[in-house]
């Protein structure tokens, strides 16, 4: 982290934090993280850890207990990364739903198990001073009402909703989001554009914001959250 930032001399003129993939901490020993923490803390650099890339059900991480061995392994990995986050003074982690289970696990079981996992992670995160941000996107997501119910059922105050602009731009998503913002406990909004193939099918919702062709939804967000 230190090397990456020092190679960008004007970094602190524009930013006060970075987002790192969960694998960065997962692959490092506690001793290595402690060594990095000194410089990071002296710079007051905010570190946000993003688990999105690993939440794929298989082969990396899952948040539904349809396979106890794989599930417990995932939870252990997440907890180990959180321990290293505490060493770095990182106060924010990003989670996301993953795809539904194809066989022998209903949608209702998925929602119930995911909600339970979110509560367990949220409780541990709270003891470490970490906020949990649930990233909502088009391809692997839950509806706003379902997420709202999950968070309302969680007794802690450190779990938040963090939708993407493409997610909010589908159907009446943005209007529903703005209407329910207080009860939904918004934290972050991921601003990006979509990318489609020659047949108009969505292939990415993480294109550069400069590629946005219709700015109406972005203007709504800026009007409400700037």
């Amino acid at each position: 982290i230190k090397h990456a930032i020092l190679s960008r001399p004007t970094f602190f003129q524009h930013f006060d934090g970075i987002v790192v993939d969960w694998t960065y901490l997962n692959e490092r020993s506690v001793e290595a993280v402690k060594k990095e923490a000194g410089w990071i803390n002296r710079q007051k650099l905010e570190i946000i850890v993003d688990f999105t890339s690993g939440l794929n059900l298989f082969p990396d991480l899952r948040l539904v207990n349809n396979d106890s061995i794989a599930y417990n392994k995932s939870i252990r990995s997440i907890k180990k990364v959180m321990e290293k986050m505490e060493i770095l003074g990182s106060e924010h982690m990003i989670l996301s739903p993953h795809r539904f289970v194809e066989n022998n696990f209903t949608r209702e079981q998925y929602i119930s198990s995911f909600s339970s996992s979110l509560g367990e992670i949220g409780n541990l995160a709270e003891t470490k001073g970490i906020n949990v941000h649930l990233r909502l996107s088009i391809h692997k997501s839950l509806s706003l009402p379902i997420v709202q119910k999950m968070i309302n059922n969680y007794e802690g105050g450190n779990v938040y909703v963090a939708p993407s602009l493409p997610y909010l731009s589908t159907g009446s998503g943005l209007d529903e989001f703005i209407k329910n913002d207080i009860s939904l406990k918004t934290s972050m909004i991921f601003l990006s554009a979509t990318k489609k193939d020659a047949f108009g099918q969505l292939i990415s919702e993480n294109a550069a914001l400069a590629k946005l062709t219709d700015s109406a939804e972005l203007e709504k967000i800026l009007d409400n959250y700037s």
Side-chain angles (χ1 to χ4, degrees):
I1 290 175
K2 177 181 178 180
H3 176 79
I5 291 178
L6 291 181
S7 68
R8 297 163 173 82
T10 63
F11 177 89
F12 285 110
Q13 294 178 26
H14 307 283
F15 309 104
D16 60 3
I18 60 172
V19 177
V20 298
D21 191 76
W22 72 284
T23 55
Y24 184 85
L25 294 181
N26 188 54
E27 295 168 355
R28 281 166 173 73
S29 66
V30 170
E31 291 72 24
V33 174
K34 286 180 178 178
K35 185 176 180 181
E36 280 202 82
W39 184 86
I40 288 172
N41 291 331
R42 287 193 297 274
Q43 308 308 313
K44 295 182 172 59
L45 180 69
E46 182 175 44
I47 304 289
I48 300 173
V49 179
D50 189 357
F51 288 83
T52 303
S53 70
L55 288 165
N56 48 29
L57 188 64
F58 178 84
D60 298 309
L61 303 174
R62 68 184 63 204
L63 291 178
V64 292
N65 191 5
N66 67 311
D67 179 329
S68 59
I69 295 175
Y71 174 76
N72 290 329
K73 181 180 177 181
S74 296
I75 295 299
R76 286 196 299 270
S77 295
I78 292 172
K79 288 181 176 179
K80 285 181 180 179
V81 171
M82 291 170 67
E83 290 169 2
K84 295 170 186 175
M85 288 176 62
E86 188 175 23
I87 294 171
L88 285 181
S90 173
E91 299 178 352
H92 303 281
M93 61 186 287
I94 300 169
L95 298 180
S96 75
H98 48 64
R99 59 189 169 90
F100 289 102
V101 180
E102 290 88 351
N103 301 308
N104 303 316
F105 207 73
T106 66
R107 182 182 179 87
E108 289 71 27
Q109 287 176 304
Y110 175 101
I111 293 171
S112 175
S113 185
F114 187 92
S115 180
S116 176
S117 299
L118 186 64
E120 180 182 353
I121 292 171
N123 285 331
L124 178 60
E126 194 164 36
T127 66
K128 299 180 179 300
I130 298 173
N131 293 311
V132 180
H133 307 274
L134 184 58
R135 181 175 188 167
L136 302 182
S137 56
I138 295 174
H139 280 140
K140 50 177 188 176
S141 195
L142 300 168
S143 68
L144 283 174
I146 289 175
V147 172
Q148 181 177 10
K149 185 176 180 180
M150 283 185 183
I151 294 180
N152 287 345
N153 289 338
Y154 172 65
E155 296 180 355
N158 62 321
V159 177
Y160 301 88
V161 178
S164 69
L165 177 59
Y167 173 83
L168 294 176
S169 299
T170 57
S172 59
L174 181 55
D175 293 330
E176 182 182 356
F177 179 71
I178 292 173
K179 177 182 177 182
N180 294 288
D181 178 50
I182 296 177
S183 57
L184 281 169
K185 292 178 62 180
T186 312
S187 57
M188 307 172 182
I189 299 176
F190 294 91
L191 301 180
S192 60
T194 57
K195 183 178 181 180
K196 298 182 179 180
D197 62 18
F199 301 97
Q201 296 179 316
L202 181 68
I203 57 175
S204 174
E205 55 184 300
N206 297 306
L209 195 59
K211 301 292 184 181
L212 194 67
T213 55
D214 183 357
S215 62
E217 302 297 298
L218 177 60
E219 290 172 0
K220 274 188 182 181
I221 286 180
L222 294 178
D223 286 342
N224 281 274
Y225 299 104
S226 58

